[in-house]
Amino acid sequence: MAAPSSTATPLLKDELDIVIPTIRNLDFLEMWRPFFQPYHLIIVQDGDPSKTIKVPDGFDYELYNRNDINKILGPKASCISFKDSACRCFGYMVSKKKYIFTIDDDCFVAKDPSGKQINALEQHIKNLLSPSTPFFFNTLYDPFREGADYVRGYPFSLREGVPTAVSHGLWLNIPDYDAPTQLVKPLERNTRFVDAVLTIPKGTLFPMCGMNLAFDRDLIGPAMYFGLMGDGQPIGRYDDMWAGWCVKVTCDHLGLGVKTGLPYIWHSKASNPFVNLKKEYNGIFWQEEIIPFFQSVSLPKDCTTVQKCYVELAKLVKEKLGKVDPYFVKLGDAMVTWIEAWDELNPAGGSAKRPNGTA
Ligand SMILES: O=c1ccn([C@@H]2O[C@H](COP(=O)(O)OP(=O)(O)O[C@H]3O[C@@H](CO)[C@H](O)[C@H]3O)[C@@H](O)[C@H]2O)c(=O)[nH]1
Ligand SMILES: [Mn+2]
């Protein structure tokens, strides 16, 4: 009888891809090696495609630069941002796996208050594999967590919960602040480790950060479009925010859950607040119109798939936000192009079958 293996097979080893947008060598992976090495990486190289990105030995990965994106998508590549971390969503599209974890290359392994290294990927997987509770708030937080449960008064008819589509992690050290806040509080660091995972209630939007994020690609993948940002666009650093608002209204409509809280990563570097202010300016102004728009969105009953929800959303974006700025007409069209490209690369029911790297 074979000796029991010393290391259990990592959870979802062949069902999860790690997507990393990058403009630099990926030395940060050395710190993540114990947790990431068993998984397949999809590296989306932004900026100059002639630059070589160094990946530490021993990792199984595929790498796409702008030339690859243009070759694979042809004219539809216009929906993938250039010179902005929003390019990462191309990795979601080409993946053939059920789950995605995306992380920035300046995010490192954090430690919990006991000093133990946090396996962020393991916590995201736990979050995704256990139900969410968007319809009724559990005051003891995640009822599916070891040592917790539903509290008295929680309706039994709701205790099954709903499938979790998104797991939104947080950051110690450099918090994900907007440029004005960064400018006012340049030295502020997040030292608070809050040991909780919460379901974001139905009907509530949230600011989704793409730095430390995991999701169920089969449940919500087509809505995880990070928009038109960066080069040639009037806005940046609203890629993940836009995706988060589209994802949340879609999850609310389809009865799916979004969780936020654990795991933490250690965000090591603050990006330049002045550069960020230029990128964010329109977003800070427009979001006062964008948020009421998403709060008022009501998707028709016949929108029974993510794609149908998303195409309907794109129509509404053009109709309602096109008046705010012509950019939203362009964005609405890009949202449809994204879905067309997604469906081309992921023919219904066929996506999980092809090996990674073949489009
Ligand atoms: O043009 C670019 C710039 C950067 N990247 C890669 O994207 C991530 C994030 O880059 P960075 O850590 O420098 O920027 P942050 O401000 O901390 O990013 C966070 O803010 C939001 C930006 O939209 C987003 O939620 C976070 O990413 C790194 O991996 C860079 O290598 C890029 O691809 N292209
Ligand atoms: Mn960063």
Side-chain angles (χ1 to χ4, degrees):
M1 188 171 76
S5 71
S6 55
T7 49
T9 309
L11 258 180
L12 301 181
K13 174 176 164 314
D14 299 320
E15 296 174 80
L16 180 142
D17 279 339
I18 299 175
V19 174
I20 305 166
T22 195
I23 49 175
R24 49 182 73 98
N25 293 331
L26 297 178
D27 308 327
F28 90 115
L29 285 172
E30 277 309 344
M31 193 175 188
W32 288 103
R33 189 182 290 277
F35 304 136
F36 288 5
Q37 183 146 18
Y39 295 89
H40 181 70
L41 312 181
I42 296 181
I43 300 161
V44 183
Q45 176 184 344
D46 194 18
D48 177 3
S50 67
K51 185 179 167 191
T52 302
I53 296 289
K54 289 200 189 79
V55 182
D57 289 346
F59 285 95
D60 170 56
Y61 71 92
E62 57 197 276
L63 184 145
Y64 296 93
N65 63 28
R66 192 69 208 186
N67 295 335
D68 301 317
I69 294 172
N70 293 339
K71 199 163 72 185
I72 291 167
L73 296 184
K76 293 193 179 70
S78 61
C79 76
I80 303 296
S81 299
F82 185 55
K83 294 191 180 169
D84 188 285
S85 64
C87 64
R88 74 173 87 214
C89 62
F90 179 74
Y92 312 158
M93 187 192 282
V94 290
S95 169
K96 301 299 158 234
K97 304 288 176 54
K98 177 168 173 51
Y99 300 99
I100 295 284
F101 169 51
T102 188
I103 185 169
D104 288 3
D105 60 20
D106 64 344
C107 294
F108 292 85
V109 178
K111 288 184 176 158
D112 69 19
S114 73
K116 185 171 171 261
Q117 291 211 327
I118 298 168
N119 181 346
L121 184 52
E122 185 185 56
Q123 180 64 48
H124 277 303
I125 291 172
K126 277 185 192 158
N127 293 349
L128 290 171
L129 294 185
S130 63
S132 295
T133 57
F135 303 124
F136 200 88
F137 189 76
N138 191 50
T139 46
L140 204 52
Y141 312 115
D142 181 357
F144 295 94
R145 185 154 175 207
E146 195 66 33
D149 211 316
Y150 288 106
V151 294
R152 178 169 54 85
Y154 200 101
F156 282 84
S157 58
L158 293 175
R159 294 197 183 195
E160 201 177 326
V162 300
T164 300
V166 178
S167 171
H168 178 262
L170 298 172
W171 346 269
L172 292 175
N173 194 39
I174 308 287
D176 184 23
Y177 283 167
D178 49 54
T181 309
Q182 243 187 308
L183 285 165
V184 166
K185 308 167 95 174
L187 303 179
E188 186 148 295
R189 298 291 177 268
N190 182 29
T191 58
R192 214 155 37 115
F193 178 97
V194 176
D195 185 6
V197 177
L198 294 175
T199 294
I200 302 174
K202 177 174 179 171
T204 302
L205 296 169
F206 77 113
M208 186 174 81
C209 171
M211 242 190 275
N212 170 20
L213 178 73
F215 60 91
D216 184 320
R217 203 172 152 274
D218 286 355
L219 287 181
I220 200 65
M224 271 289 180
Y225 174 48
F226 274 39
L228 287 176
M229 303 281 151
D231 195 46
Q233 305 301 339
I235 186 171
R237 286 172 56 83
Y238 270 81
D239 49 326
D240 39 10
M241 300 297 145
W242 182 261
W245 297 328
C246 294
V247 156
K248 189 60 172 59
V249 294
T250 303
C251 283
D252 286 351
H253 176 74
L254 295 177
L256 301 170
V258 177
K259 289 178 182 174
T260 187
L262 299 179
Y264 282 89
I265 49 86
W266 179 268
H267 187 209
S268 64
K269 175 183 70 63
S271 37
N272 182 307
F274 296 99
V275 171
N276 289 348
L277 188 56
K278 266 197 285 192
K279 292 180 180 179
E280 290 171 17
Y281 168 72
N282 278 321
I284 296 175
F285 181 66
W286 288 341
Q287 70 184 7
E288 299 306 329
E289 310 261 351
I290 295 170
I291 298 306
F293 161 72
F294 278 105
Q295 287 170 331
S296 68
V297 162
S298 147
L299 296 170
K301 271 210 172 53
D302 62 0
C303 289
T304 52
T305 65
V306 179
Q307 282 88 334
K308 285 181 184 168
C309 291
Y310 206 75
V311 169
E312 177 65 21
L313 210 42
K315 194 167 76 103
L316 293 170
V317 164
K318 290 176 70 174
E319 249 169 55
K320 311 276 187 196
L321 293 178
K323 302 167 192 147
V324 174
D325 189 279
Y327 166 75
F328 292 101
V329 176
K330 216 169 60 162
L331 180 56
D333 289 337
M335 289 167 71
V336 174
T337 304
W338 159 265
I339 292 294
E340 289 167 351
W342 181 285
D343 287 346
E344 232 172 72
L345 265 63
N346 299 280
S351 73
K353 296 200 178 60
R354 282 201 307 272
N356 265 328
T358 55

